[in-house]
Every structure is written in C-alpha cells, then in structure tokens.
Amino acid sequence: MRAIAAVSVSLILASSFVHGQESADPEPERLESEEQRATGTIVVAEPGPYAARLDAALREGRDVWGEALIAGGGATYDGIKDLLRPLFYSTGHAYTERGVHNLLWGEDGGDPPYVIPLADGSRIAANVYQSEDYLAWHVGPDGEAFGSDLARLEGPALAEGWLPVLQTAYTDQAGNRYAQESFAGRAPGGGGLLAWIRLRVEVGDGENGAVLRARFGDDAMERFRYVVSPGVAPAEEDADSLTWRMGPGEHTLYAVWSPEGPVSRETALSKADYARARDAMKLYWDGRLAPVLRFDAPEAIVMDAQRNLLIQNLIMRWRYSLGAVVYHGSFYQPESSDAVQTLGEFGHPEAYRDGLAALLDMTKGQDYYINWERGEKLTHGAHYYYLTRDADFIHAHTEAYVAICEAFRAQMEADPHGLLMKQRQCGDIPEVAYFIFHQTLGWQGMRDMAEVWRAIGREDLYETWRPVADRLKAAIDDGMRGAVQPLEDGSLFVPRALYLEEAAYPFITETKTGSYWNLVMPYAFASGYWPLDGPEIGRILDYMHGYGGLFLGLLRFNYYPTPIGAYRADGLPGYYTTGDDNVYLPSYLRVLAAQDDADRQVLSFYGKLAHGMTRNTFVAGEGSTIGARPGVAYRSCYGTPSSANNTAFLLNLRLMLVRESFNSDTGAPEGLFLAHATPREWLEDGKVIAVDGAPTCFGAVSYRIVSRLAEGRVEARVTLPDRDAASVIRLRLRLPAPYRMAAVTAGGETVAFEADSGTIDLSGYSGEVVIEVRVENAGDVGAGG
C-alpha cells in the first residue's frame, strides 16, 4: 500500500483561466517535433508548478486530493472545480486530431437530422462533426475563424444555464465584437429542423469597419437564408461564401440553415420569427423534461447539468454517441443499456422499453464478448420488469431470453469447469479467458430473469433456469477458490479471470492490463456475486482506492499507457496522458452506494460535474486526459458527446436521492433508501431537497425536505410507494456540521433514528408520512457537557 501524502487542499489549486489563457502557473512551451509525433515518442517535459503538484498526486496510490476534501468536511463543487484544468478539447475533424468539442442538437427519440455546433461558435455541421455540409463563420479583415483565438472568445455558455442554445462572443483583431447565439428548432408553423442563428456585431470607429463572412460546405449555401439590419451593404457572394461589410454601430443578422435540403422560401425570418422559434424550442424541451425532471436539488449548476444531460440522452437514447467523429450511431451493450435504464429511472419508461427491445438483437459478434452482452440483456430486462411491472414486455421477449439461457447452458455442458466458454475480454483487449465479469454477469442475468419468470407466472421457466444459474454460480465458486488474493493491508484483489495466474497490480493504471481491469471489473463487483453491502466488497473497494484506481472520485484509465509526467506525441485526444474513463463509472457507483459510502459518492458526483464534462456546456466524450500537456491549456476527451458518460452523472444523482437494495439470493428489490448520500450543504438553513414521483422498483416515491436549522428543526413530507412494499425503508438527513438529530417523530409518533448517520427508520410506513426532526448544535452540546 502506498502511503497517504499529507496534502492541504489549499495548496493544490490549479491555475485559473481567463478566456482560455492561463492567468497563472504557465507551463514551458516544450512541444513535440514532427518526428516525435510521427514515431509516437513519449515526451517528458520539465513540469511547472501546476503539473508538478498534479503529477505528485497522480503518483499516489490513494486519491489524496479527493480524500483531503472528504477529511475537510466533504467535496463541494467550489472546492473541487479549480483542482484540474477544465475539459475543453475533443476529437477534431479526424479522430486523431485535437479540436474544440462539439455539441449535439436534435429532437427527442434520436431520429435524424442532427445539428452539430462547435462550442467555439465557428462552425455548424449537418448530422456529424466531420460533415462536408456545414456553415462556418469568419470575421475581420483577415478572415480569421470565429473563436480561433481563445483569448478573445467569450463563452461558451448555454442560455439559462441549460437550454440547448449556444452563446459565444468573439472580438476580432480590430476590436469589433461579434455576439452569437444559435439553436436548433423548427420554423413556426412547421417544417424540418433548422439551425437558427443570431449575430450581433458591435463595430468600433475604425476606418475599415467589420467584416463577417459565412462559408459553406458542399451544396450548403442553398440551405441558408438570412436577413440583416438596415444600413449594411449587400452581401458579396462567391462560389462558397457570403460576405457582409459593416460600418460603425451595432448590426444584427438573423439566419437559418438546414442540415438536410434547401430552406423553404416560406420560412419567415425576422427578429420576431427568431424569438418565436426560440420560444417554441424552449416549450418543446420543457415538455419533454416534465416527465423526467423528478429530482430538485438546491444547487443551480446541478440542476443545469441535470436538465441538459437529460436533453442529450433523450436525443441519443441507446446510442453511444451521435454527431461525433467517432462512435456516431454506435451501441455498446453495457453502456447503452445503462443509458436507457437511467432514462427509465428518471421517468421515461418508454425510452427504457424501446431501447432494450432495440438492443436485444444487437451484438458485436461471437468472436468478441457475446456472453457479457447476453448477461446484460437479461439483467436489464429483469430490472425493467421490477421498475415498471410490465409483464407484457417480458412475455413478448421471452423467446429471445430463453435462447440466451440455452446458449449459456450449452456452453456450461461443454466446458470442463462447467463455466461459460472463454471469450475475448473486451474490444481493446483480445486475450481470451474465463473473465470473471463475463461469468458473473451471465449468472446474474439467468438468476434475475428466472425470478422474473416466476413473478409473472412462468413457473416452468423458473424451475428450468434457476437451477442452471445456481450451477453456474457453483462453478464460479470453484474457480474463485484461491483466485481472490488478500493483501497485507487487508484489501482484496480479484484477478480478471478464473484459472489465470495474475498478481495484484502494484499500481493499477501503470499498465494497460491494469487500466482495463479498472474499467471492467466493477461490472463483476456490481453483479451481486459478492453481497453488495458485505465486507468482501468493502475490501475489494479498498484495493481500488489504495492502488491507483480513482482520482477525484473518477475512474482512472491509462490507454497506451503513458507514464505520469509525460504525454504521447501522437496520442489520441482524451488518451495522450494518463486520465480517466467515466463511461465505466456507473457500476462502481452502484457498489459505492450499496456500501453506503456517501462521502465518496459525493466526491464522484462533484468530480464528474467539475472535471468529467466541459464547463457550462456539459459535454463529455469517452476517455479524458488528466495529466498536463505543455502548451495545451485545456484537457481533452475522445469524441463528444457520450450518452454513457452522461449516465454516470445522472445515475449518481438518483443514487444520492433514491436507491433500492436487492436480495442477494433472488436479485429482487428489497429495500428503499431516501436521501442517503446528499451533500451536506444541501440541508443548510432554508434549503429544500425535493423528489417528485420518482420511479422505483416499488412504485413512485416523493419527498420534500425543508431545512429550518435556524429554528432548530428539519421538516420532511414523504409519500411512499403504494404498488409494492419495501421490507426496509430508510430516510437520511445529512446535516451540515455541527448539527445533529436530537428527536424525530413520524406521523406524530416517536420513531427510531441514528444520530451519528442521520438515518430515520420508516420501515412499515405507507402513504404520506410527515416527519418532524428536532436538531441540536453538537458543538453547543459538547461545550455544555
């Protein structure tokens, strides 16, 4: 075990940024040569103060910065946001290039077309980032690309903090300012999806005035219409551009651009038309969010992120990404299923149902990890049933589910160990073995689906397949004997595969094999093979936490791998330094929640919000860099956006506010836990935490917690599910220091509570319950004692 460094949070603040430029702590400009880039040279630069502090923290086995935040009272957004440089870059026009991240605009359900704007305001593309159908903006006498000098770029930002309306402003070299707003919406009265743009140009008194140029890709000029304020010279037109020259004063251009086909000449375009289209777009998304906005947190940036990520994932649904230069329209079974499950848990059961149905026939093929896919199909199908009690869905797909179970049984009968056959670990690791997460997901899937069949009256299928699941678990048990390695510090290391000799990694992400262990093994840990609230899982997490598995609560990953303090000259965006990959964070979060480790949940929550997505635009790709790269002010990710990475934030928000526990023998839902991991600041005096009709495996739950600490009390009104009874119901009030509970009544009766954890036992209650909590200042109590 590596020792915990004594680190003060106040001493590890990263440099601040102004319009994309470092205002402090600049790194040396030691950039790679063309030869280094071509040969894939690992480049080590002499670090500046920021990189030196960061590298020292990354070399520790423990998450020293994160644990310092926990020890100081818990992670907060303000406390974590300046520790790393912001995420801004992603893949560029090609997947090997670094460029500004892109956003995704479309409509609920994921049907094309899509409008793909770049976050710096320079370009809008049709359907995918690298499309040759695009609209690009250039400004100034030299025709520089809008936003090309980040020192003169304001933003990016989203309207109202969350709407899919991109707001940027750029000042050209002559000092003229161009304020741009754009969004995707339909023309008032109907028609296809359009990009709407408003450009306000503030022109100084210089002799040359301002120049604004719209450049177009293939056949894109016919997709463009505009009006411009009076007094602007007529546009100069050539083969692929329009140019406007503007004298002193303020001028406004309104434009629409179609991602598919010419713009209808019937499309009205004026200031009022723009406003109507914008209002209609907001009304559209307000309506789509109404069924899914179930969680109300007293923190504006959390609510902004929740709203925008839900919009992104309502567009992408089961698709891993849309609009990206990589992964456009792709699926990956675990990640895609998690994305639609989370939409279901936020109140969109049709997205969950339709996504699972679409994914049921999708596979990467027999030569990959089809058993992992099959296990996920079964477990998510079973969870969908428990969440919705939609027996018709299970009946409709039982033939496909039975076929999966039959494939499992045939493999077990043919295997000398009674296991599922050896398969490729994952897409990037071609090694073939009895990988434990394949085996445990197969067991979990058969067990869970067998129990669901019994619940819907198919006792015949239960009696057939539950014994097969039990035999697979017994075979896993046999292989697991001697495989799990207790370490001197008390933690447990679980190797990747059964019957494969593998020592514990001294530092998990020092090697590529260890890095992929860190991504995929949490699927095994979340399967329930080890009881999720049990001591073994706690010791397994101790290994992840002690040997380089987490950083600021994010799941560490090192693709090439690249040594800490270096970068790969030809490396892919998101991967050219050591980093993280939060596409795989959900399984870790589920285990953490089941272990009731609220402080680490909150750390991961704010780590993801601050450093697992872009600031203000809430965009994440796949993997992201953490290490510093000289001459590059911002961190990068691989392809944007990613539904699975969005899921990590949304899922954690739900787990913090509402989560279920599941029976370790049957996999059926058992307990209901409310507000078990909320940040303590959310219950400061006057703040309110609210959940409105959130779907759970027991039915919808609502609650409203009002903090009145100044009056020495907290009020809660809880409406418990009436569909199915939970055997255990707990409500937790994580009060800010130095407050603690002194007395609790529910429905006028005194109820049991744990003062240290702030947990109230509501087991046996139903319907609406009014809870009154008297609180006391623990410091005053101590002084008086």
Side-chain angles (χ1 to χ4, degrees):
M1 163 113 27
R2 294 167 184 260
I4 301 176
V7 178
S8 169
V9 173
S10 64
L11 296 179
I12 57 179
L13 294 178
S15 58
S16 59
F17 293 80
V18 178
H19 302 318
Q21 294 297 302
E22 301 173 50
S23 61
D25 222 0
E27 296 295 334
E29 292 287 335
R30 183 176 173 184
L31 303 179
E32 67 269 17
S33 67
E34 289 301 319
E35 180 181 0
Q36 288 171 329
R37 178 181 291 276
T39 59
T41 302
I42 298 295
V43 181
V44 180
E46 182 178 346
Y50 166 76
R53 291 192 300 270
L54 175 59
D55 292 348
L58 287 168
R59 290 188 177 103
E60 293 292 334
R62 301 203 68 85
D63 183 358
V64 290
W65 287 5
E67 291 181 1
L69 290 168
I70 291 173
T76 63
Y77 182 75
D78 286 340
I80 206 170
K81 67 181 176 63
D82 292 325
L83 299 183
L84 292 180
R85 292 177 171 163
L87 186 63
F88 182 74
Y89 293 114
S90 182
T91 46
H93 198 72
Y95 78 96
T96 54
E97 298 174 356
R98 183 177 67 246
V100 173
H101 69 275
N102 61 276
L103 285 68
L104 166 68
W105 293 336
E107 294 185 323
D108 185 9
D111 291 331
Y114 319 111
V115 175
I116 312 299
L118 283 192
D120 63 1
S122 64
R123 188 173 183 268
I124 298 174
N127 296 315
V128 291
Y129 179 109
Q130 71 272 33
S131 172
E132 292 304 316
D133 293 330
Y134 63 85
L135 163 65
W137 295 105
H138 295 256
V139 299
D142 296 329
E144 61 181 312
F146 187 107
S148 55
D149 184 343
L150 296 182
R152 291 185 269 124
L153 176 67
E154 301 169 45
L158 301 178
E160 299 183 29
W162 62 272
L163 275 170
V165 179
L166 179 63
Q167 296 177 327
T168 55
Y170 189 65
T171 302
D172 67 19
Q173 295 179 5
N176 304 304
R177 183 173 181 269
Y178 306 77
Q180 181 181 182
E181 180 179 273
S182 58
F183 63 91
R186 294 181 180 270
L193 196 69
L194 302 172
W196 292 76
I197 304 105
R198 182 187 66 202
L199 263 162
R200 288 177 174 156
V201 185
E202 301 166 10
V203 185
D205 295 328
E207 295 181 2
N208 297 324
V211 179
L212 173 64
R213 177 177 293 113
R215 294 187 63 248
F216 306 96
D218 296 344
D219 301 322
M221 188 183 294
E222 66 182 26
R223 302 180 182 187
F224 181 78
R225 289 193 63 208
Y226 73 93
V227 296
V228 68
S229 55
V232 176
E236 302 166 12
E237 181 175 343
D238 59 26
D240 64 354
S241 68
L242 295 170
T243 302
W244 297 269
R245 302 186 186 278
M246 304 176 183
E250 182 174 307
H251 311 277
T252 303
L253 177 143
Y254 294 96
V256 291
W257 180 80
S258 169
E260 289 189 347
V263 177
S264 169
R265 294 187 176 275
E266 304 302 317
T267 302
L269 188 57
S270 66
K271 178 180 179 180
D273 296 318
Y274 179 89
R276 280 192 289 269
R278 195 182 189 280
D279 290 345
M281 176 274 303
K282 184 178 187 304
L283 185 64
Y284 173 86
W285 282 116
D286 282 340
R288 293 306 191 273
L289 289 182
V292 295
L293 204 62
R294 304 297 188 181
F295 304 106
D296 193 357
E299 190 168 6
I301 192 169
V302 170
M303 295 304 294
D304 287 344
Q306 178 188 190
R307 289 184 175 98
N308 189 261
L309 294 179
L310 284 169
I311 289 173
Q312 290 184 43
N313 277 19
L314 285 171
I315 297 171
M316 288 185 280
R317 301 289 180 113
W318 55 263
R319 301 162 188 85
Y320 191 74
S321 185
L322 284 174
V325 69
V326 290
Y327 302 129
H328 174 73
S330 295
F331 84 96
Y332 290 90
Q333 183 64 48
E335 300 95 312
S336 294
S337 291
D338 275 343
V340 294
Q341 174 178 325
T342 302
L343 285 175
E345 291 172 327
F346 271 73
H348 254 293
E350 82 288 349
Y352 195 4
R353 179 196 64 229
D354 296 347
L356 293 185
L359 289 164
L360 197 51
D361 292 331
M362 296 184 192
T363 177
K364 298 300 180 185
Q366 189 72 26
D367 293 334
Y368 275 75
Y369 39 83
I370 195 170
N371 285 339
W372 183 16
E373 294 177 327
R374 288 164 169 163
E376 294 283 352
K377 292 173 184 180
L378 292 173
T379 60
H380 284 282
H383 179 270
Y384 170 78
Y385 169 75
Y386 286 127
L387 188 71
T388 65
R389 305 294 161 151
D390 181 0
D392 288 344
F393 179 87
I394 303 299
H395 287 305
H397 298 290
T398 283
E399 183 178 351
Y401 291 139
V402 167
I404 291 173
C405 295
E406 288 174 340
F408 283 168
R409 180 171 60 184
Q411 292 176 40
M412 293 164 58
E413 290 174 350
D415 186 81
H417 301 288
L419 294 165
L420 303 180
M421 67 181 182
K422 296 179 180 181
Q423 289 194 332
R424 180 185 181 119
Q425 177 177 321
C426 58
D428 290 335
I429 304 292
E431 184 178 359
V432 173
Y434 294 115
F435 290 107
I436 288 173
F437 68 100
H438 295 179
Q439 304 291 329
T440 55
L441 263 294
W443 159 74
Q444 181 192 9
M446 275 199 293
R447 180 202 65 178
D448 291 0
M449 189 55 69
E451 294 290 341
V452 166
W453 278 325
R454 181 164 67 169
I456 66 172
R458 291 300 306 270
E459 194 75 24
D460 57 324
L461 294 176
Y462 169 79
E463 292 177 355
T464 299
W465 297 110
R466 178 60 203 251
V468 178
D470 292 342
R471 289 202 301 274
L472 179 55
K473 185 175 187 297
I476 298 171
D477 290 343
D478 289 342
M480 202 72 75
R481 292 188 183 94
V484 179
Q485 302 166 32
L487 304 183
E488 290 183 1
D489 59 10
S491 64
L492 290 178
F493 170 70
V494 182
R496 291 175 298 147
L498 302 174
Y499 304 107
L500 176 71
E501 292 187 10
E502 184 175 45
Y505 309 106
F507 196 94
I508 294 171
T509 53
E510 192 170 28
T511 65
K512 187 167 187 173
T513 301
S515 290
Y516 276 90
W517 180 97
N518 209 39
L519 298 189
V520 300
M521 286 305 290
Y523 286 99
F525 305 150
S527 70
Y529 175 81
W530 298 272
L532 288 174
D533 58 353
E536 285 182 306
I537 282 291
R539 293 171 67 192
I540 289 169
L541 287 181
D542 286 344
Y543 173 72
M544 295 183 70
H545 295 155
Y547 291 80
L550 281 299
F551 191 77
L552 292 177
L554 304 177
L555 206 59
R556 291 182 68 171
F557 181 63
N558 199 347
Y559 177 69
Y560 288 108
T562 305
I564 293 167
Y567 63 95
R568 187 179 172 101
D570 68 337
L572 297 171
Y575 296 121
Y576 48 64
T577 73
T578 187
D580 59 73
D581 193 336
N582 296 296
V583 165
Y584 295 89
L585 193 62
S587 289
Y588 168 78
L589 293 172
R590 291 185 176 108
V591 177
L592 208 61
Q595 283 281 296
D596 209 11
D597 194 339
D599 287 332
R600 285 192 184 273
Q601 264 189 271
V602 173
L603 173 64
S604 286
F605 181 74
Y606 284 119
K608 181 73 177 74
L609 179 60
H611 302 302
M613 62 184 85
T614 58
R615 303 286 172 86
N616 304 321
T617 49
F618 309 115
V619 169
E622 193 182 59
S624 301
T625 58
I626 292 178
R629 180 167 181 167
V632 181
Y634 292 133
R635 294 163 47 234
S636 69
C637 61
Y638 188 65
T640 51
S642 169
S643 63
N645 219 321
N646 295 346
T647 296
F649 177 84
L650 295 170
L651 172 66
N652 204 6
L653 177 61
R654 182 190 187 269
L655 289 172
M656 286 161 46
L657 293 169
V658 175
R659 72 170 173 88
E660 302 95 336
S661 65
F662 297 87
N663 184 278
S664 59
D665 177 59
T666 66
E670 193 168 60
L672 183 61
F673 300 84
L674 308 178
H676 255 241
T678 58
R680 294 190 182 278
E681 287 72 19
W682 288 5
L683 283 179
E684 291 173 338
D685 184 54
K687 292 184 177 179
V688 177
I689 303 173
V691 170
D692 182 15
T696 77
C697 292
F698 307 100
V701 65
S702 299
Y703 62 79
R704 181 178 175 85
I705 304 169
V706 182
S707 175
R708 304 190 190 280
L709 295 183
E711 301 172 14
R713 61 194 177 96
V714 175
E715 303 168 352
R717 186 178 297 269
V718 181
T719 304
L720 295 169
D722 57 6
R723 190 187 68 198
D724 297 281
S727 60
V728 176
I729 304 175
R730 300 280 192 271
L731 171 68
R732 178 172 292 166
L733 304 181
R734 282 172 45 86
L735 302 173
Y739 293 97
R740 70 180 186 186
M741 292 180 180
V744 180
T745 62
E749 299 179 350
T750 300
V751 296
F753 68 95
E754 298 173 0
D756 289 343
S757 67
T759 305
I760 303 167
D761 187 358
L762 297 178
S763 303
Y765 284 83
S766 61
E768 184 175 85
V769 184
V770 177
I771 300 159
E772 295 281 346
V773 179
R774 182 169 62 83
V775 302
E776 60 189 10
N777 187 311
D780 292 343
V781 172

